[in-house]
Amino acid sequence: MLDAALRKAAAVWITSPGHEPRLVHAHWRDDALWVITGGSEQQVPGLSDQAKVTVTVRSPSTHSHLIDAPATAHLAEPDEETTQALKTARLNTKPEWEAVYRLEFSA
């Protein structure tokens, strides 16, 4: 269910311990969720390399809660293909970010 939900999600809620959930744009690629933060993108307090976070996915059609999933964030330098996919996913603005995180989910 998580894989199917993340394939359709353009944005997810990320909750870091001790912080309120933040809505961020995300892109599902290579069995991980790629998240951009800072710059013109949403800041996510508590998101850092190796941080344990909770990712909440809502239905794109009804906005109802679909799933909460624990993930580990890894500060990443995306390859060219992933960078282009992240930029393309942000059709309504020119994305400018300070950090890219690859969120990995436990099996």
Side-chain angles (χ1 to χ4, degrees):
M1 179 172 174
L2 179 63
D3 181 73
L6 290 172
R7 287 182 188 279
K8 296 177 184 176
V12 298
W13 292 88
I14 296 179
T15 307
S16 301
H19 298 280
E20 294 293 316
R22 295 291 176 111
L23 182 65
V24 296
H25 292 278
H27 181 69
W28 181 248
R29 180 179 182 80
D30 299 329
D31 294 324
L33 188 66
W34 293 82
V35 174
I36 51 181
T37 65
S40 63
E41 300 299 323
Q42 180 70 49
Q43 298 288 342
V44 183
L47 184 62
S48 61
D49 193 39
Q50 301 301 314
K52 304 292 185 195
V53 299
T54 300
V55 176
T56 300
V57 183
R58 295 188 172 274
S59 166
S61 56
T62 65
H63 305 290
S64 61
H65 179 269
L66 286 179
I67 193 167
D68 288 327
T72 302
H74 300 279
L75 188 59
E77 187 65 42
D79 61 25
E80 193 173 316
E81 213 173 290
T82 301
T83 298
Q84 189 57 46
L86 289 167
K87 288 180 178 180
T88 301
R90 299 290 284 123
L91 296 175
N92 60 343
T93 187
K94 180 180 175 190
E96 295 176 9
W97 58 74
E98 294 171 1
V100 177
Y101 291 93
R102 179 183 164 99
L103 276 56
E104 297 178 356
F105 300 87
S106 322

